Amino acid sequence: MAASVKLHLQFGGGAELLFDKIKKREIELPALKKYFPDCQHDKWNIRDLLVWIKDNLLRERPELFLQGDSVRPGILVLINDADWELYGELDYELQDNDTIMFISTLHGG
Amino acid sequence: MPVPCRTGCGKNAMLKRPKTGDALCKDCFFWAFETEIHFTITKAELFKSGDSVAVAASGGKDSTVLAHVLKTLNQRFNYGLNLMLLSIDEGITGYRDDSLETVKQNRDDYEMPLKILSYKELYGWTMDEIVAQIGRKNNCTFCGVFRRQALDRGAAMLGVKCIATGHNADDIAETVLMNVLRGDIARLKRCTAITTGSEGTIPRVKPLKYTYEKEIVMYAHYKKLVYFSTECVFAPNAYRGHARALLKDMEKIRASCIMDIIYSGETMAVKEEVTLPSQRTCIRCNFVSSQEVCKACVLLEGLNKGLPKLGIGKSSKAKKMLEEYNAQQTNYKESLQAAAKELDDVQSKKELCLSDSKNCKSGLCKGKTKLNRNSSINSNDYTNSSNAKECCSNCSGSCERIKVNADVNNTKVNTLLEKYVINETNIAKVNGEGTLCNPSNSDDNLNNSDDEEHTHAEYIDTHIEQEDETCSASCGKLGSLNIGF
Ligand SMILES: [Zn+2]
Ligand SMILES: [Zn+2]
Ligand SMILES: [Zn+2]
């Protein structure tokens, strides 16, 4: 049974404005089955992480960060500094100590 | 499991390029990104050796990356350009303050001279002061119109050959879409041009025209470039927000749609008989305008007259407002003269506060002092300096009575405002349903003479009404606005 997962979360490009302006967070996800008792798979993936973020970190205007079960188009996701599009996007299984970064392209300049 | 770099360099890929679908490592991405911009610049012959070029710098991601890449390419390919940064300070506390710090960082990092021009110097008003006058609803109109002209003025001061702006492919696709959605054929025709500007103006060029926003952000991230991002503190445009969201949704499904929309915009032919507004210069300030008096001057006049909503709606409404205002000013002046005459009869001259309006304590005189200060900066003063003089040379406590007149005046102005200034449907509600205000919108306004918010109706109002069109487009049958492919 998978134990808890420690992650480094980062927010940039304006995405941090939706998270109390905090750019870096250390989080610890509980065992997946503990958080989602009905879950069919064993390991945390990005899709699950987004739900956790919505429940625990995102206080207002979730529609600026999330759309459906994914991030809002225009928010880039990096897994250990690499484009998540190379790693299966929502289905990527999180490893202990991964760095997941969200960068907004929507907050311009 | 890591994906190898498409080029076969042996390193692991770090990103998938939206434009080509290629998976590249950082170094190969940098090379591809910079080389494409180099090709864009050389193919369109944007610069000549020896040119001075101002980079319109907002401190945001696009202009920061643009400045970095231009500096890199200038050295790598010996463009022979003299690059500098040009920034506009609108006077928005907390927003532009911070972004200007970022621009100063750019100046130091890229060793480029920086010129900052403020609305206050140029127009006599900061955005904060304008917002205090008109509220937050319409201020993006002011901001966009003033900023566009401010850049021209700044570039003229710097004596540069052209202004390079940070418009990226996503911005341009969005503008194409917006012009289609507004039926603005004149702007649709112009908005994809890589170089804009008519005779007598300093051209604007868009070296990032074919560069995806995602790649700009990834480039800035991997190069650790410092840029400023925030929600614009003022109201976003809801209509544009929807267009932007639509585009991002489509891009997610098929990334090439950005290039496809730009291509459509570039190749779309406009029927000959579409009357495009001709460019001319403003009779007041001499900068380019499609009207006799440019929008900046109209807005400024509104502010200085205490009719801040002037120029926000249709031009015909603005005209009516002005006529009424002027008529009513004449009445006001007459009543002042009458009051003055009465005073002359009753009071001896030694009691009068002489023409030094600074020392006049009456509320009215203070107002005039302020207006006069502004008028020294702007040639377009309709400020009633004659009224001010009359007041000052005749006032001695009796200003109270003139003040009453001023109040009446305000009530009338308010009625006027209620009556005439409406066309606000195309202007956003504050925090309108989750739209991220995107300061790159203001960047658009800033850089893009094609970006002023116009509705179809307004376009027709300004450009076609004068010709004897009996139908004002309400029936939707204006044949001349059809697009021929
Ligand atoms: Zn490579
Ligand atoms: Zn704005
Ligand atoms: Zn003008």
Side-chain angles (χ1 to χ4, degrees), chain B residues 149 282 285 294 297:
Chain B
Q149 203 190 64
C282 167
C285 70
C294 77
C297 286

Side-chain angles (χ1 to χ4, degrees), chain A residues 34-91:
Chain A
K34 223 171 172 182
Y35 198 77
F36 297 110
D38 302 330
C39 187
Q40 299 297 311
H41 51 277
D42 296 325
K43 284 186 161 179
W44 282 90
N45 59 29
I46 301 265
R47 187 181 287 106
D48 305 322
L49 173 66
L50 292 176
V51 177
W52 186 91
I53 287 176
K54 187 182 180 202
D55 292 346
N56 294 278
L57 301 178
L58 197 54
R59 306 218 185 281
E60 13 166 0
R61 298 191 291 166
E63 71 279 5
L64 296 187
F65 188 69
L66 300 170
Q67 184 170 313
D69 64 352
S70 189
V71 290
R72 183 176 163 162
I75 302 223
L76 307 180
V77 184
L78 305 191
I79 298 166
N80 299 321
D81 219 26
D83 192 351
W84 76 328
E85 292 185 39
L86 298 172
Y87 288 86
E89 303 192 15
L90 291 170
D91 295 321

Side-chain angles (χ1 to χ4, degrees), chain A residues 13-14 17 61 63-64 67 72-74 76 78 81-83 85-87 89 101 103 105-109, chain B residues 14-16 26 58 60-61 213-214 217-218 221-222 227 229-231 248-249 252 434 436 438-440 443:
Chain A
L17 299 172
R61 298 191 291 166
E63 71 279 5
L64 296 187
Q67 184 170 313
R72 183 176 163 162
L76 307 180
L78 305 191
D81 219 26
D83 192 351
E85 292 185 39
L86 298 172
Y87 288 86
E89 303 192 15
M101 182 170 196
I103 310 180
T105 66
L106 302 166
H107 294 78
Chain B
M14 291 299 273
L15 86 162
K16 192 175 159 197
K26 277 187 199 176
S58 65
K61 59 183 181 346
E213 195 155 54
K214 174 183 171 182
V217 171
M218 293 298 264
H221 173 65
Y222 288 144
Y227 64 89
S229 53
T230 184
E231 278 177 271
K248 290 286 173 197
D249 286 348
K252 183 75 198 160
L436 281 176
N438 178 350
S440 85
D443 232 353

Side-chain angles (χ1 to χ4, degrees), chain B residues 5-12 24-29:
Chain B
C5 175
R6 169 83 206 291
T7 63
C9 72
K11 279 177 264 179
N12 287 334
L24 297 182
C25 72
K26 277 187 199 176
D27 288 330
C28 292
F29 166 61

Side-chain angles (χ1 to χ4, degrees), chain B residues 297-479:
Chain B
C297 286
V298 173
L299 290 173
L300 203 53
E301 176 167 335
L303 280 173
N304 289 341
K305 274 187 171 177
L307 291 175
K309 292 191 172 182
L310 188 74
I312 287 171
K314 293 185 181 184
S315 59
S316 56
K317 282 174 182 169
K319 235 176 259 171
K320 270 185 212 158
M321 267 174 80
L322 260 184
E323 275 163 20
E324 295 225 1
Y325 178 87
N326 288 336
Q328 169 251 8
Q329 281 298 298
T330 317
N331 290 339
Y332 175 46
K333 203 172 162 185
E334 276 163 10
S335 67
L336 274 171
Q337 278 163 345
K341 202 162 177 247
E342 207 174 300
L343 280 168
D344 278 348
D345 296 342
V346 179
Q347 292 177 304
S348 69
K349 301 234 172 188
K350 63 187 174 202
E351 287 176 82
L352 304 180
C353 94
L354 295 169
S355 56
D356 183 4
S357 55
K358 270 181 219 147
N359 298 328
C360 178
K361 295 286 190 289
S362 87
L364 191 61
C365 281
K366 258 190 209 157
K368 300 303 176 194
T369 309
K370 195 178 171 205
L371 286 172
N372 284 333
R373 183 205 57 198
N374 290 323
S375 69
S376 63
I377 298 158
N378 306 298
S379 53
N380 62 320
D381 68 311
Y382 260 56
T383 53
N384 312 294
S385 44
S386 58
N387 285 353
K389 262 181 226 140
E390 260 165 53
C391 170
C392 288
S393 57
N394 294 296
C395 104
S396 60
S398 58
C399 261
E400 271 315 301
R401 127 184 243 169
I402 295 167
K403 226 176 162 187
V404 174
N405 266 329
D407 287 342
V408 171
N409 190 15
N410 280 339
T411 328
K412 211 171 166 194
V413 168
N414 286 339
T415 326
L416 262 176
L417 285 176
E418 271 168 43
K419 223 164 148 187
Y420 289 122
V421 178
I422 307 312
N423 197 18
E424 279 165 359
T425 43
N426 59 329
I427 308 209
K429 291 164 195 134
V430 181
N431 290 329
E433 52 95 44
T435 320
L436 281 176
C437 178
N438 178 350
S440 85
N441 282 355
S442 34
D443 232 353
D444 285 350
N445 287 337
L446 179 150
N447 304 318
N448 193 341
S449 51
D450 306 318
D451 196 63
E452 201 178 313
E453 303 294 345
H454 271 261
T455 60
H456 179 67
E458 194 187 344
Y459 171 75
I460 289 164
D461 184 51
T462 18
H463 302 300
I464 298 181
E465 197 182 57
Q466 292 99 321
E467 303 163 26
D468 44 8
E469 279 287 351
T470 43
C471 164
S472 59
S474 43
C475 74
K477 277 188 196 161
L478 267 181

Side-chain angles (χ1 to χ4, degrees), chain B residues 68-109:
Chain B
H68 178 90
V69 171
L70 283 183
K71 182 180 171 70
T72 305
L73 295 177
N74 193 30
Q75 285 171 346
R76 186 179 301 162
F77 297 101
N78 293 313
Y79 286 172
L81 300 179
N82 176 21
L83 296 166
M84 44 194 102
L85 300 165
L86 172 59
S87 278
I88 305 303
D89 179 5
E90 302 91 337
I92 306 174
T93 310
Y95 171 64
R96 203 44 95 186
D97 294 356
D98 296 350
S99 61
L100 283 175
E101 285 310 307
T102 314
V103 176
K104 287 175 190 164
Q105 188 70 45
N106 292 165
R107 173 196 62 196
D108 300 339
D109 291 348

